[in-house]
Amino acid sequence: MITYQSINISYRLKNRRKLSQWIRQCAEETKMRIGELAIVLCDDVTLLEYNVKYLKHNTLTDIITFNYNEGSVLSGDIIISLDRIRENAYRYDVPMDLELKRVIIHGVLHLLGFRDKIKEEKDLMRRMEDEYLQKYDLLFRG
């Protein structure tokens, strides 16, 4: 089950069913199935509180993930700062909904075991994000 929540913001995520179908497809391609996955949209302050409290990082970021996977069942929390999404969309001159989908799939990829600490991992993560964004377009526009 995939749930969507908002904390300290008044944003309502569009196309939740499509997003859920897309996320399920991405998980299934890596032989995982969705257990309980929460996608939480919040503001910078809330994400920073989570980052400090649980990860001991006193920095702003666009996303943090908490992995509760068991075997081939993907479960976790993906916490996303909508403030960072807006800023990054503006900075990179991309539509906000595209940047949000990129960050959502970035979180899913982390839960699937992909990392982005070193350059090679970051490059692979970016390629995977691009691939899954294309699959979203094919799934719902093709």
Side-chain angles (χ1 to χ4, degrees):
M1 175 160 101
I2 301 173
T3 60
Y4 300 90
Q5 304 166 32
S6 296
I7 300 175
N8 294 330
I9 60 169
S10 60
Y11 184 82
R12 179 155 167 80
L13 190 60
K14 298 178 232 166
N15 300 317
R16 292 177 183 200
R17 286 185 184 173
K18 289 180 180 179
L19 285 170
S20 295
Q21 183 180 346
W22 176 53
I23 292 167
R24 274 189 204 88
Q25 178 182 338
C26 295
E28 288 169 2
E29 287 181 12
T30 60
K31 307 297 186 233
M32 298 284 283
R33 63 181 174 83
I34 301 294
E36 293 185 29
L37 177 62
I39 297 175
V40 180
L41 302 178
C42 62
D43 61 355
D44 274 346
V45 172
T46 303
L47 190 124
L48 182 60
E49 288 171 357
Y50 278 96
N51 215 5
V52 169
K53 182 176 181 178
Y54 296 106
L55 302 177
K56 309 295 187 233
H57 300 152
N58 191 12
T59 57
L60 285 176
T61 185
D62 53 359
I63 183 173
I64 56 177
T65 58
F66 296 95
N67 187 326
Y68 312 126
N69 291 352
E70 291 184 18
S72 63
V73 179
L74 184 147
S75 296
D77 297 327
I78 297 174
I79 309 195
I80 298 171
S81 168
L82 208 56
D83 295 333
R84 296 294 95 222
I85 299 304
R86 282 189 185 108
E87 185 174 302
N88 288 342
Y90 178 77
R91 177 183 298 146
Y92 299 116
D93 193 27
V94 297
M96 189 174 144
D97 68 319
L98 177 62
E99 183 64 15
L100 182 54
K101 282 188 283 200
R102 179 178 296 282
V103 173
I104 288 171
I105 205 61
H106 183 90
V108 171
L109 288 168
H110 274 306
L111 294 177
L112 291 171
F114 292 91
R115 300 286 166 242
D116 59 358
K117 295 296 182 193
I118 61 174
K119 183 184 180 333
E120 291 80 12
E121 294 172 340
K122 287 178 185 178
D123 291 347
L124 175 60
M125 181 75 85
R126 181 51 67 132
R127 286 193 307 272
M128 297 292 291
E129 291 167 8
D130 289 342
E131 178 183 320
Y132 283 116
L133 287 168
Q134 287 177 352
K135 287 180 181 185
Y136 182 93
D137 286 341
L138 289 173
L139 192 60
F140 298 111
R141 295 185 188 160

